[in-house]
Structures are given as structure tokens and as C-alpha cells.
């Protein structure tokens, strides 16, 4: 004899069915890990721009309740749009870090408009309120602080008083680094010059090696750069017996003798901020910037050729920067053609957007835009 | 009249596809072996290649979108190949076509969208056609090797493009990514439909391949081309205008590559910038050779290559395989295609043999009957 009649059976099944919609399942949803996508424009192990991002992504991978999906060598074409869409559709990501500058306009903007529930935290772009979608945003770091410190250390180490800088393109961000490096060096010895060579693109290893050799032949004894992968430059400098300062990530392993220090990204800070906001459901922080003080950039530890005097001076300047008491671009500053570009009495704080439109090389830089 | 029975007839028509099929099978076997040796899940990888390339509507979008520009750049190789030329400079024609399309709205502002887009298409084809046309002219009139010539001209085109985009044609607002001024919203080409996100470049690519097929297969010009490509002395002896025909294929091929550039600008990038130099011209060479310069084959091979690139993205994200895995699969596929190509001579004999065997049998039956 069954004690369960049809009415009871319906009640029971209804109850079980309904329970699926109850907060029990909400609790499980909260446990569901946040899928985070990282897209790199070059290889993850380039000892440079992409490696700096991949290193921070590895830290994000170790956070609780986060699943990381990565893709490298994604060009700034329709390929990146399809990769973002694939990450959303095939891997269910809720937050994407498209890490190359050129991804932003139009690719990130276009995909972000189509997927308003996904967050797009782009590195380098200039997100603007009202112009760009609210589920997209940009973050960046004031790495010229690191380049200024590179300059200070290089200024002490150089004997020929000639420094070499290998740069990709004469765009604002690159010019700002060349200028900061030169100002740092000239704060130590005002007769120092920086010779700059533009290679024309972000990743041209053969041209970078040629430029490094040419600069060394011209008598430069410390090299630094702003290209995607400083590997070849640092290796060439080490082989030719001159010193080098790193960029993007640490290249110390490539030049155990001549590596002085380096300006490195610390993307872990903005990454963590975006991941936490996404996990909590907090509103997206669309515009995120920071320097040494905020932990967005860091410096490599000093190499064996850095004198105690140089260490003391660089550490003191770094402490001032971290305390927010030192600006790099303080007038009067002349460009290398003799025009005053920052008038006496004007000091641009790091956050000043005027600096993001820099279009000159300061006095002491040999080269032209 | 003897008709072959159905089975041998099918075999006879399908025989030309045999090398391609065998190449597919053997390259996937080698790919699985390659992954297996390294302890990677080879079966799973092959399944993902299929899923990523053709496994869903989105996968098809992804594949077709990547294939679209390759169809046009492959024609830049295939058309001159019919006249016996090996042109490998499609990249240059593409970037110049793109640049021409991007600057037209600045020269004649205020046109309605449709005439403007048609105009952009025309100037891009003109620019591309002119550039590859120079190759044809130099070969016919100056005896310059067209392969080397087109490669060098392509470098010159890219240098010219960079110089103009970073110099006189640069939008001053494009601070860190030098570009021409962005196209107005009206002049952007959207997807085929909201539910099928592939831009109109695909239609242009397929259409161009069909037209090219009609030209080389069913027109008097196409017949003359085959004679020029087969034996140029014979062509001259029978009085064909060899120079004009060669020039025609170069101009048409270049126009196709230029048109690809126009679609990259108006459907993808929204302006001309260095992101256009993404190797479409180079991949086009691969596609054209794999298709044996046969226009309908180009459609198939471009889709195949687009599919491999689309699935490479999934392989990276799911199995953590490096991006180079895709290159290895592509390399295997194309070397296998060329290796199985050796069957080509034998296939002709098999086809004849099949035909003869049945003819003999019919003849015998007729005698006995």
C-alpha cells in the first residue's frame, strides 16, 4: 500500500523543483570561479612587454576562485575581436584584459558594446567618459619614473658620458621615457648626452641589434630601450662589454655582469583591483593610473656594477617619488633645438595629462623625431 | 557512345581531390604524432581544431572572417601565376590600397555612404593594381625578376605607408598609435547581419574568386593566358599580346589585394595604421599555392587556413599549447600538400587507365553481343 497519493506527489516534486530557484543555488553561483581572459600581442616569454603581463597573470591565476584563460600572439586585427568573443562564448569569461595598446580603438570598443555584461580592462588606452562604453576601461602606469631612476644609475655608471636609447616609434609615451631617462642622467652629470635611434616598429630584433651595435660603436657605454622585447639589446650590450638598463620586465638574467637596474611594470596591482571589483560586483573603475607610489611600476634590483653612491642617490630619489614629493618634468626645460617647452616655474605632476601628449626631445638628447 | 558506370565515373571526377585528401589525413596523423611525443592529448587537440574552426555558428564566423582577406590576397598571387609569374608582394598592394581608401574621404568629403564606399573600393583597387602593375611592367620591359621585384616593392610600399601614416597623413589625436583620421561612422562597413558577424569582405572575396574563375577558365583572355603561362614563345609566335596579358593579370591581382586593404580599413580598423600590416599578403601566397592557383580552390583553402587560425586560438585557451602549435599544423598541412602533389602526374594516368579499361570492356561486350 502506497501512502503517497497523487496530490502529495505533486507537492513534493513541485517543492524539489522550486528549491532550484532558491538561494541555495545562489550560494553555489557565488562559488563559481570568475573566468578571466588575458590577451597578449606577442609571445609570453619575450623578456619584455608581454612577459611583464604574463607574470602578473600568473599571480592572478593563484588567487582563489579565479580561472585564467590566456592567448598569445594575437594581432591587432579582426583576430583580437574574434578572440575576445571566443573567450566570452567558449570560455564564459566575465573579465578580459586585452593588454596591447592597439587593441583599444576600435576592437575593444566594438566588442564591449556587443557584450555589456562583460568587463574589458584595457592596458594603455585612454578611456573617456561618455565616449566609450561603461563596461570598458583603461589602466596604465607612470613608468617614466623607473626610466628616470635608470638615468640616475646610468649617469653614475657611464664613463664616456654617452648613453644610448633604442626606441620603437617617436610617439608620446616613448618620448616621455627618453626624456625622463635623460633628465635622470643629467641630474647626476649635466654634460651627459643620450643618443636615440628609432627602429620604426615595436618588435624588430634584427634592427634592434644593429642599433645597439651602432650605439656602442659611437661610444655609448650604457644602453636602454623602449621596444616590446629588450632581450636582444641587453644581450648585445653584455656581449660587447657595455652596461644596460632594463625595461618592461627584468632582463637581469640575460646580462649578469652589465645589467644595472630596470624600469619594470607591476601589473599585479591593477589586475587585482579589477578582479576584486568583478568578484564583488562593484562598479568598474574605468580609469586607473599609478606610478611607483601606487605599486603600478617597480625597479629591478641593482646589478654588481652599481656603486654605493649611485645606490644611495637612486634610493633617495625613489623614496621621494614614493612619498609623492618629486616631479620629473619641472621647468625650465628646453627641447634639443633650443626652444623652451616647459617654462620656468611650471611643474607638471605625473598625473598631468599634458605629459601624455609629449612631442619633443629634451636638451641633451641626440636625435630627432 | 559509351558512358562509364556510376562508380568509376565518380572515382574519375573525384581523383583530382585525392592529393588534398591524402595531405589532410597525413598531416593530421603527423600532428597527432608530434603532440603525442610531447605528452599532449593529441586526440583532444584534433577535436578542438574541428570545434574551433567549424564546430558552431560562432566558429564559422571566426573562420570565415579570417578567411575573407586571404581570398583576395591569394588572387594577387594566383592571377599572375596563370601568366607564368610568381608575384609575392601582395602585402604592399594591400597596405597602399588601404591607405588610398582611408584618405579618399579627406579629399572628397561629404559624399553619401554608398558612393563613398564605391569610390573607396575603386581607389584602393587602383592603388593596388598600379603597384603590382609596376612589377609586370618591370618584368616585361626591363627584364627584372618579378618575384624579387615584388618582394622589394612590397617593402617599399610598407615603408611609404608608415612614412605617410606617421607623417603628413597622421591624425594628431592618435598619440601612441599613429593613424590616419578615423572614418566617419557612415563610412564603416558593418557585418553581414547582426546574427552573423562576418563583414562584407567575405562576399567580395568569394565574388572575386568566382569572377577570376570565369576569366581564366571560360574566356578567350583566360585561354590566351594559359598559352602565355605555358610557353611564352608559342604565345608570341601565334601573335598574342604577351606584354598586355601579363600586365592585365598583375593589375587585376594587385586590385584584389588593394580591395582587401579597403575592407580592412572600412570594416575592421576604421582608419589606416600599422595594424594593417598583419601578414595577410604573406598568408595569401600560401593559400594560392595550396589551391594550385585555381580560384574556386582558393575559396576552400582560405577557409581551411582561416579555420586553422581560428582553432589555434581555442588550442591555446583550452590546452595551454603555445601559439606556434598552429604554425606547425599549417606547416605540416602545406608541406604535405606539396608532397602529395607528386601524385599529380600519376592521377592523369589513372584517369586515362580507368577510361580505357571500360572502353575495352565495352568494345569486347559489343563484339560478343
Amino acid at each position: 500500500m502506497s501512502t503517497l497519493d497523487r496530490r502529495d506527489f505533486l507537492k513534493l516534486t513541485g517543492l524539489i523543483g522550486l528549491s532550484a530557484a532558491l538561494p541555495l543555488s545562489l550560494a553555489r553561483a557565488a562559488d563559481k570561479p570568475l573566468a578571466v581572459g588575458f590577451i597578449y600581442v606577442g609571445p609570453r616569454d619575450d623578456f619584455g612587454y608581454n612577459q611583464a603581463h604574463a607574470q602578473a597573470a600568473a599571480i592572478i591565476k593563484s588567487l582563489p576562485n579565479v580561472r585564467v584563460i590566456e592567448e598569445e600572439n594575437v594581432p591587432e586585427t579582426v583576430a583580437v575581436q574574434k578572440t575576445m568573443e571566443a573567450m566570452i562564448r567558449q570560455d564564459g569569461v566575465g573579465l578580459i584584459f586585452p593588454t596591447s595598446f592597439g587593441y583599444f580603438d576600435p576592437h575593444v570598443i566594438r566588442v564591449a558594446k556587443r557584450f555589456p555584461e562583460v568587463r574589458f580592462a584595457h592596458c594603455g588606452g585612454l578611456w573617456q567618459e561618455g565616449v566609450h562604453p561603461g563596461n570598458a576601461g583603461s589602466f596604465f602606469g607612470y613608468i617614466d619614473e623607473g626610466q628616470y631612476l635608470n638615468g640616475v644609475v646610468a649617469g653614475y655608471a657611464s664613463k664616456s658620458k654617452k648613453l644610448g636609447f633604442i626606441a620603437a616609434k617617436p610617439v608620446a609615451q616613448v618620448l616621455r621615457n627618453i626624456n625622463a631617462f635623460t633628465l635622470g642622467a643629467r641630474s647626476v652629470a649635466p654634460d651627459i648626452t643620450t643618443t636615440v635611434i628609432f627602429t620604426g616598429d615595436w618588435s624588430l630584433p634584427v634592427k634592434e641589434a644593429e642599433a645597439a651595435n651602432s650605439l656602442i660603436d659611437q661610444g655609448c657605454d650604457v644602453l636602454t630601450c623602449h621596444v616590446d622585447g629588450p632581450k636582444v639589446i641587453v644581450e648585445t650590450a653584455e656581449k660587447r662589454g657595455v652596461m644596460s638598463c632594463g625595461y618592461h620586465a627584468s632582463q637581469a638574467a640575460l646580462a649578469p655582469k652589465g645589467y644595472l637596474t630596470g624600469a619594470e611594470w607591476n601589473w599585479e596591482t591593477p589586475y587585482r583591483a579589477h578582479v576584486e571589483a568583478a568578484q564583488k560586483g562593484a562598479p568598474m573603475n574605468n580609469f586607473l593610473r599609478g606610478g611607483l607610489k601606487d605599486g603600478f611600476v617597480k625597479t629591478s634590483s641593482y646589478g654588481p656594477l652599481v656603486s654605493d653612491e649611485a645606490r644611495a642617490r637612486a634610493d633617495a630619489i625613489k623614496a621621494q617619488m614614493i612619498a609623492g614629493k618629486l616631479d620629473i618634468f619641472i621647468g625650465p626645460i628646453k627641447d634639443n633645438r633650443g626652444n623652451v617647452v616647459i617654462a620656468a616655474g611650471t611643474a607638471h605632476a605625473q598625473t598631468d595629462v599634458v605629459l601624455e601628449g609629449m612631442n619633443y626631445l629634451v636638451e641633451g638628447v641626440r636625435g630627432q623625431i | 557512345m559509351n558512358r562509364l558506370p556510376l562508380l568509376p565515373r565518380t572515382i574519375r571526377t573525384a581523383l583530382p581531390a585525392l592529393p588534398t585528401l591524402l595531405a589532410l589525413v597525413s598531416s593530421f596523423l603527423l600532428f597527432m604524432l608530434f603532440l603525442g611525443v610531447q605528452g599532449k592529448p593529441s586526440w583532444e587537440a584534433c577535436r578542438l581544431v574541428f570545434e574551433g574552426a567549424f564546430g558552431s555558428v560562432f566558429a564559422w564566423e571566426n573562420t570565415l572572417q579570417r578567411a575573407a582577406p586571404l581570398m583576395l590576397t591569394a588572387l594577387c598571387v594566383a592571377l599572375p601565376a596563370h601568366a607564368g609569374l610568381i608575384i609575392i608582394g601582395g602585402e604592399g598592394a594591400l597596405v597602399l590600397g588601404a591607405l588610398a581608401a582611408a584618405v579618399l574621404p579627406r579629399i572628397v568629403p561629404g559624399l553619401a555612404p554608398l558612393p563613398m564606399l564605391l569610390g573607396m573600393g575603386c581607389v584602393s583597387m587602383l592603388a593596388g593594381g598600379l603597384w603590382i602593375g609596376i612589377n609586370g611592367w618591370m618584368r616585361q620591359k626591363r627584364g627584372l625578376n618579378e618575384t624579387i621585384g615584388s618582394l622589394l616593392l612590397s617593402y617599399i610600399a610598407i615603408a611609404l605607408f608608415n612614412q605617410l601614416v606617421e607623417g603628413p597623413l597622421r591624425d594628431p589625436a592618435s598619440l601612441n598609435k599613429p593613424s590616419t583620421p578615423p572614418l566617419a561612422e557612415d563610412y564603416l562597413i558593418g557585418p553581414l547581419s547582426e546574427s552573423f558577424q562576418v563583414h562584407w569582405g567575405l562576399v567580395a572575396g568569394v565574388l572575386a574568386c568566382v569572377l577570376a574563375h570565369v576569366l581564366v577558365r571560360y574566356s578567350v583572355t583566360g585561354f590566351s593566358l594559359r598559352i602565355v603561362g605555358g610557353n611564352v614563345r608559342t604565345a608570341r609566335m601565334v601573335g598574342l599580346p604577351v606584354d598586355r596579358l601579363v600586365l592585365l593579370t598583375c593589375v587585376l591581382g594587385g586590385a584584389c589585394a588593394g580591395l582587401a586593404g579597403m575592407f580592412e580599413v572600412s570594416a575592421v580598423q576604421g582608419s589606416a595604421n600599422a595594424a594593417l600590416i598583419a601578414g595577410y599578403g604573406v598568408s595569401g601566397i600560401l593559400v594560392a599555392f595550396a589551391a594550385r592557383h585555381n580560384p574556386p580552390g582558393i575559396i576552400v583553402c582560405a577557409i581551411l587556413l582561416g579555420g586553422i587560425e581560428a582553432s589555434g586560438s581555442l588550442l591555446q585557451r583550452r590546452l595551454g599549447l603555445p601559439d606556434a602549435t598552429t604554425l606547425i599544423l599549417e606547416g605540416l598541412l602545406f608541406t604535405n600538400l606539396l608532397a602529395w602533389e607528386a601524385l599529380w602526374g600519376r592521377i592523369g594516368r589513372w584517369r586515362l587507365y580507368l577510361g580505357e579499361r571500360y572502353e575495352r570492356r565495352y568494345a569486347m561486350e559489343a563484339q560478343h553481343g
Side-chain angles (χ1 to χ4, degrees), chain B residues 183-339:
Chain B
L183 292 182
E185 198 72 31
D186 288 348
Y187 302 150
L188 295 179
I189 298 177
L192 290 174
S193 89
E194 273 313 307
S195 53
F196 196 67
Q197 295 279 334
V198 178
H199 66 66
W200 285 90
L202 178 69
V203 177
V206 173
L207 210 64
C209 285
V210 171
L211 289 177
H213 184 56
V214 172
L215 175 79
V216 298
R217 191 69 199 267
Y218 300 107
S219 75
V220 179
T221 316
F223 185 68
S224 320
L225 273 180
R226 276 207 293 281
I227 298 169
V228 174
N231 189 328
V232 75
R233 282 177 136 185
T234 316
R236 283 194 203 280
M237 235 149 54
V238 295
L240 287 174
V242 175
D243 292 352
R244 251 195 6 238
L245 284 167
V246 166
L247 213 58
L248 175 78
T249 57
C250 289
V251 169
L252 287 179
C256 289
L259 189 64
M262 179 264 187
F263 277 103
E264 283 307 299
V265 164
S266 59
V268 181
Q269 304 286 357
S271 68
N273 58 57
L276 286 164
I277 313 163
Y280 290 128
V282 184
S283 305
I285 304 170
L286 213 64
V287 171
F289 273 86
R292 296 179 207 100
H293 309 303
N294 167 17
I298 286 176
I299 300 181
V300 177
C301 289
I303 292 175
L304 196 65
L305 195 65
I308 291 175
E309 280 173 9
S311 62
S313 158
L314 194 63
L315 281 182
Q316 279 200 50
R317 282 178 283 125
R318 288 288 163 78
L319 300 180
L321 292 172
D323 172 61
T325 319
T326 326
L327 282 181
I328 289 185
L329 180 57
E330 271 174 35
L332 282 174
L333 206 59
F334 288 102
T335 41
N336 273 283
L337 265 174
L338 293 178

Side-chain angles (χ1 to χ4, degrees), chain B residues 22-344:
Chain B
L22 285 172
L24 268 177
V25 173
S26 63
S27 47
F28 268 92
L29 283 177
L30 285 171
F31 183 57
M32 285 169 77
L33 185 75
F34 167 76
L35 290 175
V37 165
Q38 300 188 60
K40 303 284 180 196
S42 48
W43 184 247
E44 175 71 4
C46 285
R47 198 187 60 75
L48 284 176
V49 168
F50 184 78
E51 189 191 323
F54 310 110
S56 63
V57 177
F58 169 70
W60 272 103
E61 283 174 11
N62 197 349
T63 297
L64 291 175
Q65 190 60 96
R66 289 169 196 258
L70 302 185
M71 293 179 193
L72 289 168
T73 53
L75 283 177
C76 183
V77 183
L79 284 173
H82 281 270
L85 272 70
I86 298 176
I87 296 271
I88 56 173
E91 192 88 10
L94 183 144
V95 298
L96 289 185
L99 190 63
V103 296
L104 185 71
R106 279 180 81 183
I107 299 168
V108 276
L111 277 184
L114 192 65
M116 177 62 89
L117 285 174
L118 287 176
M120 283 163 68
C122 288
V123 293
S124 68
M125 287 165 76
L126 212 63
L130 192 74
W131 201 251
I132 303 295
I134 293 175
N135 274 303
W137 181 81
M138 287 201 303
R139 179 190 195 252
Q140 296 307 111
K141 299 293 179 188
R142 287 285 170 270
L144 206 79
N145 179 303
E146 81 283 1
T147 313
I148 308 289
S150 66
L151 184 67
L152 296 180
L153 269 179
S154 171
Y155 288 136
I156 293 174
I158 291 171
L160 199 65
F161 174 88
N162 280 330
Q163 180 66 29
L164 290 173
V165 169
E166 289 175 19
L169 298 177
R170 179 172 176 179
D171 174 12
S174 60
L175 283 181
N176 288 316
K177 184 184 176 186
S179 313
T180 57
L183 292 182
E185 198 72 31
D186 288 348
Y187 302 150
L188 295 179
I189 298 177
L192 290 174
S193 89
E194 273 313 307
S195 53
F196 196 67
Q197 295 279 334
V198 178
H199 66 66
W200 285 90
L202 178 69
V203 177
V206 173
L207 210 64
C209 285
V210 171
L211 289 177
H213 184 56
V214 172
L215 175 79
V216 298
R217 191 69 199 267
Y218 300 107
S219 75
V220 179
T221 316
F223 185 68
S224 320
L225 273 180
R226 276 207 293 281
I227 298 169
V228 174
N231 189 328
V232 75
R233 282 177 136 185
T234 316
R236 283 194 203 280
M237 235 149 54
V238 295
L240 287 174
V242 175
D243 292 352
R244 251 195 6 238
L245 284 167
V246 166
L247 213 58
L248 175 78
T249 57
C250 289
V251 169
L252 287 179
C256 289
L259 189 64
M262 179 264 187
F263 277 103
E264 283 307 299
V265 164
S266 59
V268 181
Q269 304 286 357
S271 68
N273 58 57
L276 286 164
I277 313 163
Y280 290 128
V282 184
S283 305
I285 304 170
L286 213 64
V287 171
F289 273 86
R292 296 179 207 100
H293 309 303
N294 167 17
I298 286 176
I299 300 181
V300 177
C301 289
I303 292 175
L304 196 65
L305 195 65
I308 291 175
E309 280 173 9
S311 62
S313 158
L314 194 63
L315 281 182
Q316 279 200 50
R317 282 178 283 125
R318 288 288 163 78
L319 300 180
L321 292 172
D323 172 61
T325 319
T326 326
L327 282 181
I328 289 185
L329 180 57
E330 271 174 35
L332 282 174
L333 206 59
F334 288 102
T335 41
N336 273 283
L337 265 174
L338 293 178
W340 286 108
E341 189 87 318
L343 272 182
W344 203 235

Side-chain angles (χ1 to χ4, degrees), chain A residues 259-331:
Chain A
Y259 191 78
L260 298 174
T261 181
E264 295 180 36
W265 301 106
N266 190 27
W267 294 128
E268 184 193 340
T269 314
Y271 280 180
R272 271 181 190 273
H274 277 295
V275 169
E276 273 166 27
Q279 279 179 327
K280 284 189 197 136
M284 171 123 184
N285 191 343
N286 302 97
F287 195 80
L288 207 53
R289 292 278 160 115
L292 279 168
K293 184 172 63 164
D294 319 271
F296 277 50
V297 296
K298 59 186 178 186
T299 54
S300 318
S301 41
Y302 299 117
L305 290 180
V306 183
S307 64
D308 290 336
E309 196 189 357
R311 277 169 206 244
R313 177 75 175 271
D315 282 340
I317 293 173
K318 192 172 162 187
Q320 274 189 302
M321 282 176 170
I322 289 172
K325 286 185 194 146
L326 190 132
D327 296 326
I328 296 173
F329 296 95
I330 307 167

